[in-house]
Amino acid sequence: MGRNQETHAEGGVRMTEQAQHDWFSPVGDSVLAAMRRRGVKADSLSQALQGGRDELRAILAGQTDIGDRTATILARILGGTAAFWTTRQKNFEEALGRSIDALNEKESEVWLGTIPIPTRRRLTKSNRKEELQRRLRYYGVSSLSGWQRRYVLDRTATRFRSSNSFTSDEGSLSLWLRSGELEAAMVDTKSWDAKRLSELLPEIRALSRFSNPSVFVPKLQSLLAKAGVAFVFVRAPNGCRASGASRMVAADKAMLLVSFRHRSDDQFWFTVFHEIGHLVLHGAEPFVDLDGGDADDRFEREANAFAEELVVPKKMQPELTGLPNRKKEIVSFARRVGVSPGLILGQMQFKGLAPFSRSSRLQRTWTWNDIEAAFES
């Protein structure tokens, strides 16, 4: 489980000295800033736009330009004038052009060969510049170093400065994180409040008893939103081993991103509890948790212990250690603890008290259709 130690300039959270001097700023950043300043919710702005939520998402992702019609709507709802928004778009396009011109050949090859975007196209000599533009637009950065600061996990690595090379796994992870950020921008929440999140933990853990994602996902989203946390799902792209991530996406808004990587209730809920642990215990630090990650990291041990105690309170953990590996006893214990039997069995498996078995009926497994339908409702 890897720790991501720096936030990005565009999110307005905690900037490194280098990030403070970045001059490149996508139009979507100004839209988000104006929405926060005026207290405009994503749903309200979406309803005013001709293309609804899809258009707002595309604006934030840099996948559509702000024309006269949209500029007029933004001016009416977010402030400024229509001319301000069209000029903002023009200035961004000029800055984007300068960014492309400043890329050296090695950087261009990394962008085009390693760092993906959602919609892939065949790369040709004639569309190379357009494809570079699409990537810088989507990630909202002006250079490869900006992308590295924002998305690459290994902050101590020197290979970027020496070779400008990254692995495809890092590229797929950055795509997952960026997609999560854009989904989080569409979720309306209260202001981030760690104390409130802690107060909501009993209600959150009780949701693990529901078997249908279409039932517990909206409830979980609503509870987390009360504490300023946008709960979002993005299916992990090929090469991405991430199960969950937590980070501040604005000064007053956190993101809890899940991939449902294993699609089982024990894995899902432990990931949720683990990421909540990071948010409660470790403040605004960004974290990305990967399969087979660094179990020796202090922050990961603390988040794991937090999640374990959410599943089974400390005073009942000795009883878990002596629990027979039989369905009746596991179900009875889970009922007394107040979580799903699958979570109890998952803890027993992790502690070596029960064998790993995909055939266990105590652990619920969902289809991708089940999961996607829950987030569309």
Side-chain angles (χ1 to χ4, degrees):
M1 297 180 181
R3 183 170 178 238
N4 188 337
Q5 296 178 342
E6 292 182 299
T7 54
H8 54 83
E10 291 85 349
V13 183
R14 178 172 54 83
M15 298 182 289
T16 64
E17 181 178 354
Q18 184 177 3
Q20 290 180 34
H21 293 91
D22 280 351
W23 44 263
F24 180 101
S25 177
V27 182
D29 291 351
S30 294
V31 172
L32 281 175
M35 289 171 65
R36 289 193 291 268
R37 187 170 58 250
R38 292 214 165 194
V40 176
K41 297 184 180 298
D43 281 344
S44 298
L45 182 54
S46 296
Q47 291 172 7
L49 294 171
Q50 188 176 29
R53 291 181 67 85
D54 288 341
E55 183 177 357
L56 178 56
R57 185 179 284 106
I59 290 173
L60 300 181
Q63 295 174 325
T64 189
D65 295 338
I66 294 176
D68 292 341
R69 180 196 295 267
T70 301
T72 300
I73 295 171
L74 294 179
R76 174 167 54 85
I77 297 176
L78 300 181
T81 63
F84 164 80
W85 289 105
T86 54
T87 300
R88 179 71 176 82
Q89 180 70 48
K90 178 183 176 182
N91 290 342
F92 170 70
E93 295 299 329
E94 292 175 352
L96 180 63
R98 291 193 295 269
S99 295
I100 299 297
D101 291 340
L103 295 179
N104 59 44
E105 185 176 350
K106 285 186 177 181
E107 280 189 304
S108 297
E109 290 305 317
V110 172
W111 276 112
L112 296 174
T114 306
I115 304 174
I117 50 177
T119 54
R120 297 185 179 184
R121 298 177 184 175
R122 182 181 177 185
L123 185 64
T124 65
K125 289 184 178 180
S126 62
N127 70 4
R128 286 176 64 86
K129 184 173 183 179
E130 179 186 354
E131 289 301 302
L132 286 169
Q133 289 176 334
R134 291 176 69 218
R135 283 159 175 77
L136 266 64
R137 280 173 174 268
Y138 186 77
Y139 288 97
V141 296
S142 60
S143 65
L144 201 54
S145 61
W147 173 84
Q148 182 197 33
R149 290 195 306 275
R150 187 162 172 172
Y151 297 110
V152 178
L153 290 178
D154 186 359
R155 299 302 179 190
T156 63
T158 58
R159 66 181 183 276
F160 169 75
R161 290 190 295 273
S162 62
S163 67
N164 281 350
S165 64
F166 297 95
T167 67
S168 58
D169 286 358
E170 288 169 330
S172 62
L173 175 59
S174 69
L175 173 59
W176 181 70
L177 287 172
R178 178 55 173 161
S179 299
E181 289 175 348
L182 293 170
E183 289 301 315
M186 302 296 294
V187 178
D188 296 322
T189 69
K190 300 289 187 180
S191 295
W192 161 241
D193 187 336
K195 181 180 178 182
R196 180 63 174 143
L197 180 56
S198 295
E199 294 170 348
L200 291 168
L201 288 177
E203 294 180 68
I204 290 172
R205 74 186 293 273
L207 294 178
S208 73
R209 295 177 296 180
F210 292 93
S211 61
N212 189 339
S214 290
V215 173
F216 67 74
V217 163
K219 294 178 183 292
L220 181 57
Q221 287 177 317
S222 177
L223 286 172
L224 288 172
K226 291 179 181 180
V229 182
F231 174 62
V232 292
F233 153 69
V234 175
R235 190 168 172 176
N238 291 337
C240 177
R241 298 180 293 110
S243 56
S246 54
R247 68 195 309 175
M248 299 301 295
V249 291
D252 61 350
K253 185 176 186 178
M255 173 185 74
L256 197 165
L257 170 63
V258 294
S259 68
F260 277 86
R261 182 169 171 79
H262 298 284
R263 292 184 288 128
S264 63
D265 65 340
D266 61 314
Q267 296 276 357
F268 165 75
W269 283 107
F270 194 86
T271 295
V272 169
F273 296 163
H274 180 98
E275 300 306 330
I276 290 176
H278 280 314
L279 290 170
V280 171
L281 300 174
H282 306 136
E285 294 288 342
F287 290 87
V288 177
D289 292 291
L290 312 172
D291 285 358
D294 186 4
D296 293 329
D297 183 273
R298 174 175 69 86
F299 295 91
E300 297 309 315
R301 292 197 307 271
E302 291 174 354
N304 278 335
F306 180 94
E308 288 173 11
E309 191 168 345
L310 261 185
V311 178
V312 180
K314 185 174 294 186
K315 65 181 180 181
M316 300 185 73
Q317 288 183 4
E319 186 176 349
L320 174 69
T321 303
L323 191 67
N325 180 24
R326 291 193 294 266
K327 179 179 179 180
K328 180 179 179 180
E329 282 81 357
I330 294 173
V331 170
S332 176
F333 183 71
R335 187 177 295 115
R336 286 187 286 117
V337 170
V339 297
S340 74
L343 262 174
I344 299 302
L345 180 56
Q347 283 298 289
M348 292 177 68
Q349 290 170 334
F350 178 76
K351 296 176 182 294
L353 304 173
F356 287 91
S357 173
R358 290 184 176 272
S359 63
S360 173
R361 294 183 180 180
L362 290 177
Q363 289 165 325
R364 303 158 182 154
T365 301
W366 305 297
T367 67
W368 287 118
N369 285 339
D370 292 334
I371 295 164
E372 290 165 358
F375 282 86
E376 292 171 358
S377 60

